[in-house]
Amino acid sequence: MKFEIERGCFEFIKKKKRRQLLMTFAMLLIGILMFIVGLFMNQFERSNLLTMLAILMVLPATKYFVGFIVVFPYKSVSRERYEHIKSLISDNTILFTDMVFTSSDKVMNLDFMIITDNQLIGLLGKKKQDIKYMENYLKETLTVNKIEGYTVKIFEDEKKFENCIPTKKFEKSDLQQKTFMTIRTLIV
C-alpha cells in the first residue's frame, strides 16, 4: 500500500478527506501523548522539553486540517459516471477525475479532465464557478511550463462535455506526458 494517494485518480477527494482528517487526529494524539509522558517524567512539572514538542505538534496537525478544509466542500464522482466517461475516451487519452486545485485567488473543482494530444477538456465539478478564470489559469500554467499548442475548454453541462470528447486515434507524445505531469502538480 502506498502512503501517497495518486492525484487525479478515482475517489481521490474521498480518500484525501479521510487521510487528512486521520493525520490531523494522529498528530494531535501524538502531541497529547508527548505532553502526558513529559508530565510523568518530570513530576508533573509542565515546563519541560516534551511539553514544548507537544505544543509544536499543533503545526503539522493544523497543516493536515487545512488540507481537509480545502477539499471538504467537494465530493468524488460516482463509479457509474467514472466508468461511463472512461468508456468514451480512446486508449492514449489521459483521464483525471476528482480534481481540486488552487490559485492565489480561488479553489477550483473539476469532476473530469481529459488530456489528448492537443486539448485539455474539463467538466465543472461544483456549479457557479468561474469557467473563464479556470480556463485562463490552466492556459497560463501551461504557458509558464513552456507547453504550447493546447486548447483548454471547460464545460458546465455533462452532455456537451461528452460530445466534445475526441474519438480520433493519436500517438502518445512527450508533450502530452509533460502536460500530464504539470496538471497533476496543480491538484491539492
Side-chain angles (χ1 to χ4, degrees):
M1 186 175 132
K2 292 191 323 185
F3 185 68
E4 185 67 30
I5 304 166
E6 187 177 342
R7 297 173 180 187
C9 69
F10 177 67
E11 290 191 334
F12 172 73
I13 294 174
K14 182 179 174 183
K15 293 173 187 173
K16 179 90 171 177
K17 283 182 191 178
R18 189 177 318 132
R19 178 168 180 247
Q20 295 296 96
L21 205 54
L22 179 69
M23 291 301 289
T24 299
F25 289 124
M27 293 298 137
L28 289 175
L29 182 64
I30 291 169
I32 291 168
L33 289 174
M34 289 171 84
F35 179 72
I36 292 170
V37 168
L39 286 177
F40 282 117
M41 288 177 60
N42 294 296
Q43 291 94 27
F44 292 92
E45 180 66 35
R46 287 188 298 186
S47 56
N48 61 61
L49 183 61
L50 284 177
T51 300
M52 299 250 315
L53 292 175
I55 291 170
L56 290 176
M57 287 304 292
V58 170
L59 296 174
T62 304
K63 176 185 178 270
Y64 284 112
F65 189 63
V66 167
F68 173 77
I69 290 171
V70 167
V71 296
F72 180 73
Y74 307 106
K75 295 188 182 319
S76 290
V77 298
S78 67
R79 167 90 47 202
E80 295 81 27
R81 281 181 72 202
Y82 175 74
E83 293 298 331
H84 174 69
I85 296 299
K86 192 174 179 184
S87 70
L88 297 175
I89 64 172
S90 63
D91 293 338
N92 289 334
T93 303
I94 298 171
L95 174 65
F96 280 118
T97 186
D98 290 352
M99 292 181 64
V100 176
F101 52 99
T102 61
S103 70
S104 57
D105 301 327
K106 299 181 182 204
V107 177
M108 299 163 275
N109 170 240
L110 293 175
D111 279 349
F112 296 103
M113 176 175 276
I114 293 173
I115 303 174
T116 66
D117 57 341
N118 63 353
Q119 291 179 312
L120 286 177
I121 307 166
L123 176 63
L124 206 60
K126 209 169 185 178
K127 304 301 179 210
K128 298 183 182 171
Q129 295 184 77
D130 189 354
I131 293 175
K132 290 293 178 203
Y133 181 85
M134 291 173 85
E135 288 175 346
N136 288 334
Y137 178 72
L138 291 169
K139 285 176 190 173
E140 287 174 17
T141 301
L142 293 177
T143 303
V144 165
N145 287 286
K146 297 177 178 51
I147 299 172
E148 300 293 330
Y150 271 86
T151 57
V152 178
K153 184 67 179 156
I154 308 291
F155 293 94
E156 190 168 4
D157 181 46
E158 192 162 347
K159 290 295 178 198
K160 289 180 182 175
F161 170 74
E162 289 175 8
N163 291 336
C164 195
I165 295 174
T167 56
K168 68 176 180 142
K169 299 285 184 196
F170 60 90
E171 294 294 320
K172 253 189 178 165
S173 66
D174 291 337
L175 186 61
Q176 184 187 19
Q177 189 62 30
K178 185 177 179 183
T179 305
F180 163 74
M181 298 300 284
T182 302
I183 296 299
R184 192 173 73 177
T185 61
L186 296 177
I187 302 172
V188 293

